[in-house]
Amino acid sequence: MLLTAVPGLLLIPPLVVAGAALSGIGHRWVDLVAQFAGPALIVAVAVVAAAAALRSRALLTAAVGVSVLVLVAGSAQWAPPRGEGAADSPAVTLYSANLHRDNADVEAITASVQASDADLVVLIEVGPVPAAALDRILAGYPHRVVTPPLRPGGTTVRSVIAGRRPVENLRLRISGLSVVGARADTALGTVTVAGVHMTRPWPWQIQWEQIRQAEGLLDWAAATPGPLLAAGDFNSVSSARIGRQLRADGRLIPAPGWPGTWPSALPPFAGITIDQVYRSPELALVERRLGPDTGSDHRPVITRFVRATPPPAP
């Protein structure tokens, strides 16, 4: 009895997380709990394995049930639509990463960017050391948009969009949001790109700030015609409140959120994906994977896109 009681108690946190995510409630505490669907699934599956080993039918039934609830709760994050790619379309690869403002490992950053062989690079929280070494880090990416230095937490940081082909600075401004924007020349034609860094959720920062930032990003996306990518650190998984908000009108569609991107000290399967890449319906996702370590507490994300098949005429 005791042997099954302990793993049974371990099902309570995953059940709470699933309930928070499925409730649709936007309250700050509920939203904070909903961020952890990934770790909750790991715990629930571990209990399934324990129940099988203990040959406890009741515990196994409960564990499988909770696992299914967590899977449903996280499905918007783990299995979003990828779109249908046009058969004759070329591809564009995007590398995006939060480098962390105090990260000075230029060698690791350079190796990670170069290994991606991406067409476009989005970097946020570029601290003073890598900012001074951009020519080395972005060798092969001569076309760049670099924001003026900001001072979050007392450290000067910049955001960067770089391409192998020309990129035009949009001088993008969204109230309250750290963002860089560019119109990029790619093999798919012109693609508009935003590098995004949202504030942390409450209780670490103002509870409504993320919501306002998401509203501003949505307004900009709705007013921007053609293929669009928004990548960076959203400080929220795509199945929680901010993700639901961004997905609401269908203009921004998230890439899958597994394996996790943060914190990099944990194995990727146990992390959460707050580093997101959103696409517009004109693009179809071919691949999403994690890039090599940069020395940051965030893992970089590499995504590849093709032109989407046009919807049938009405």
Side-chain angles (χ1 to χ4, degrees):
M1 187 72 174
L2 182 61
L3 285 175
T4 59
V6 172
L9 289 173
L10 290 177
L11 289 175
I12 295 175
L15 186 60
V16 171
V17 171
L22 290 170
S23 71
I25 297 172
H27 187 278
R28 55 188 180 270
W29 282 116
V30 178
D31 177 60
L32 200 60
V33 172
Q35 304 294 326
F36 295 95
L41 182 61
I42 298 300
V43 173
V45 170
V47 176
V48 169
L54 293 169
R55 298 183 180 180
S56 170
R57 184 174 298 177
L59 180 60
L60 182 61
T61 301
V64 170
V66 172
S67 297
V68 170
L69 283 175
V70 178
L71 276 171
V72 173
S75 60
Q77 169 187 175
W78 300 321
R82 292 172 173 252
E84 184 176 346
D88 59 348
S89 173
V92 167
T93 301
L94 173 73
Y95 174 100
S96 53
N98 179 337
L99 298 185
H100 192 277
R101 64 191 184 204
D102 298 324
N103 181 14
D105 195 342
V106 171
E107 184 175 347
I109 297 168
T110 302
S112 182
V113 171
Q114 297 302 321
S116 72
D117 194 30
D119 302 289
L120 295 168
V121 174
V122 172
L123 303 175
I124 61 172
E125 262 199 56
V126 183
V129 175
L134 284 180
D135 286 341
R136 176 184 172 190
I137 293 169
L138 296 173
Y141 299 91
H143 308 284
R144 303 169 196 164
V145 173
V146 183
T147 62
L150 303 173
R151 290 189 62 80
T155 302
T156 299
V157 299
R158 298 174 184 265
S159 296
V160 179
I161 295 176
R164 299 189 186 279
R165 299 186 181 188
V167 294
E168 176 190 352
N169 189 352
L170 294 180
R171 292 175 173 81
L172 182 57
R173 299 290 184 270
I174 296 175
S175 179
L177 179 63
S178 176
V179 63
V180 57
R183 192 173 289 110
D185 179 20
T186 76
L188 300 178
T190 300
V191 177
T192 304
V193 182
V196 174
H197 192 188
M198 287 189 175
T199 56
R200 293 180 293 174
W202 190 92
W204 295 282
Q205 291 185 263
I206 302 170
Q207 60 174 303
W208 298 110
E209 195 62 23
Q210 281 189 329
I211 296 174
R212 286 194 290 260
Q213 292 168 1
E215 287 174 349
L217 186 64
L218 275 172
D219 289 344
W220 170 75
T224 303
L228 183 151
L229 293 169
D233 181 1
F234 288 75
N235 269 306
S236 176
V237 299
S238 58
S239 57
R241 179 181 63 189
I242 295 304
R244 292 196 303 269
Q245 185 179 350
L246 291 174
R247 291 185 280 111
D249 66 359
R251 179 60 176 155
L252 294 176
I253 306 164
W258 193 88
T261 63
W262 180 89
S264 59
L266 292 178
F269 68 83
I272 64 175
T273 296
I274 59 177
D275 301 276
Q276 304 286 346
V277 180
Y278 285 83
R279 65 176 174 89
S280 65
E282 293 90 350
L283 300 172
L285 176 72
V286 175
E287 180 187 20
R288 183 266 189 193
R289 58 188 170 90
L290 301 182
D293 177 54
T294 63
S296 170
D297 60 339
H298 296 250
R299 290 184 175 88
V301 179
I302 301 169
T303 42
R304 190 157 59 97
F305 301 91
V306 295
R307 190 179 299 110
T309 302

